[in-house]
Amino acid sequence: MAKSTLASLAALSLAAVVSAQTAPQWGQCGGQGWTGATVCPDGWFCSVLNPYYSQCLQGASVSSISSASSSASGASSGSPTSTSSASGTTPTLIAGNSFIRAVEDPNFHQYLRSETLNSVGTAVLGDPVDAAQFQINNGQLEQLVPDGTILYATVEPPANSTVVKLGISWATTPDTLGTFLWGGDTVEWNSATVSRPQNNAWLVCPDAAGNKLLFLNLGPYDYDTPAGCADETIHAYTGATPTS
Ligand SMILES: *[C@@H]1O[C@H](CO)[C@@H](O)[C@H](O)[C@H]1NC(C)=O
């Protein structure tokens, strides 16, 4: 073998060793059978998505998820708890997930997430940069949190027969009141105990602090809209990044 070939082989294997130490941005960093890099670049962390796949994501790991139960009303007042992501970097869709967004004014291309990012608590719509990612499995709307935790969309039980909307919040335990499903790309919800004329009717009602709270609309779409609310349907978006 010529010296130059040996030299280039040595250079190649050196490059392989160096690259094996740090996974690339958005690259795989773990999972069953994974023999590659398990360290992410500076400013990135290795997020366990499932037993078979971990991925380098930007920002700091979510260290703990409170298991506190969500607020029953879904409403809150005081200072906004909405936060933009630490990095301010637009998320990239992970295979098998969808962003979920409204497509009607005044919430055109506002995206579903937790009021406090990646946390249990009130479900809100917000700017593309903070979009969370979702799957619907076994009738549950699941938010995939970067540390691998699943948060379930839970529907507030109706307090009485005069209630026209139900708060939505994120919890570590599944929803027991009804079933989430896709109707085409539209998020729907139905229940044996809560009757609604339309399974795809949602409302977005800003609270005093400007958080755009998501509610299940118990009435028909775009009719008898509660004061302060806007009718919305919410839809899967599977582009690589959320668009505004
Ligand atoms: C029904 O429940 C709502 C929400 O808790 C409450 O504001 C309202 O006063 C209740 N109405 C009746 C008639 O009980």
Side-chain angles (χ1 to χ4, degrees), residues 159-160 162-163:
N160 57 55
T162 68
V163 169

PDB file of all heavy atoms in Angstrom, residues 159-160 162-163, ligand 1:
ATOM      1  N   ALA A 159     -68.667  21.627  34.547  1.00  0.00           N
ATOM      2  CA  ALA A 159     -69.127  21.845  35.928  1.00  0.00           C
ATOM      3  C   ALA A 159     -70.640  21.686  36.028  1.00  0.00           C
ATOM      4  O   ALA A 159     -71.156  21.212  37.034  1.00  0.00           O
ATOM      5  CB  ALA A 159     -68.704  23.231  36.407  1.00  0.00           C
ATOM      6  N   ASN A 160     -71.346  22.090  34.992  1.00  0.00           N
ATOM      7  CA  ASN A 160     -72.819  21.993  34.979  1.00  0.00           C
ATOM      8  C   ASN A 160     -73.289  22.130  33.529  1.00  0.00           C
ATOM      9  O   ASN A 160     -72.477  22.316  32.617  1.00  0.00           O
ATOM     10  CB  ASN A 160     -73.438  23.060  35.899  1.00  0.00           C
ATOM     11  CG  ASN A 160     -73.001  24.461  35.486  1.00  0.00           C
ATOM     12  OD1 ASN A 160     -73.182  24.864  34.334  1.00  0.00           O
ATOM     13  ND2 ASN A 160     -72.394  25.199  36.425  1.00  0.00           N
ATOM     14  N   THR A 162     -74.750  24.431  31.960  1.00  0.00           N
ATOM     15  CA  THR A 162     -74.740  25.738  31.292  1.00  0.00           C
ATOM     16  C   THR A 162     -73.365  26.065  30.697  1.00  0.00           C
ATOM     17  O   THR A 162     -73.217  27.059  29.990  1.00  0.00           O
ATOM     18  CB  THR A 162     -75.126  26.874  32.263  1.00  0.00           C
ATOM     19  OG1 THR A 162     -74.072  27.028  33.232  1.00  0.00           O
ATOM     20  CG2 THR A 162     -76.433  26.562  32.991  1.00  0.00           C
ATOM     21  N   VAL A 163     -72.376  25.260  30.987  1.00  0.00           N
ATOM     22  CA  VAL A 163     -71.012  25.531  30.533  1.00  0.00           C
ATOM     23  C   VAL A 163     -70.928  25.388  29.003  1.00  0.00           C
ATOM     24  O   VAL A 163     -71.491  24.456  28.438  1.00  0.00           O
ATOM     25  CB  VAL A 163     -70.033  24.551  31.225  1.00  0.00           C
ATOM     26  CG1 VAL A 163     -68.667  24.603  30.605  1.00  0.00           C
ATOM     27  CG2 VAL A 163     -69.975  24.845  32.718  1.00  0.00           C
TER      28      VAL A 163
HETATM   29  C1  LIG B   1     -71.850  26.466  35.993  1.00  0.00           C
HETATM   30  O1  LIG B   1     -70.431  26.357  36.101  1.00  0.00           O
HETATM   31  C2  LIG B   1     -69.750  27.543  35.779  1.00  0.00           C
HETATM   32  C3  LIG B   1     -68.272  27.233  35.753  1.00  0.00           C
HETATM   33  O2  LIG B   1     -67.855  26.654  36.937  1.00  0.00           O
HETATM   34  C4  LIG B   1     -70.122  28.632  36.782  1.00  0.00           C
HETATM   35  O3  LIG B   1     -69.426  29.816  36.457  1.00  0.00           O
HETATM   36  C5  LIG B   1     -71.618  28.857  36.717  1.00  0.00           C
HETATM   37  O4  LIG B   1     -71.984  29.780  37.720  1.00  0.00           O
HETATM   38  C6  LIG B   1     -72.369  27.547  36.925  1.00  0.00           C
HETATM   39  N1  LIG B   1     -73.787  27.777  36.683  1.00  0.00           N
HETATM   40  C7  LIG B   1     -74.742  27.200  37.394  1.00  0.00           C
HETATM   41  C8  LIG B   1     -76.127  27.515  36.984  1.00  0.00           C
HETATM   42  O5  LIG B   1     -74.500  26.438  38.330  1.00  0.00           O
END
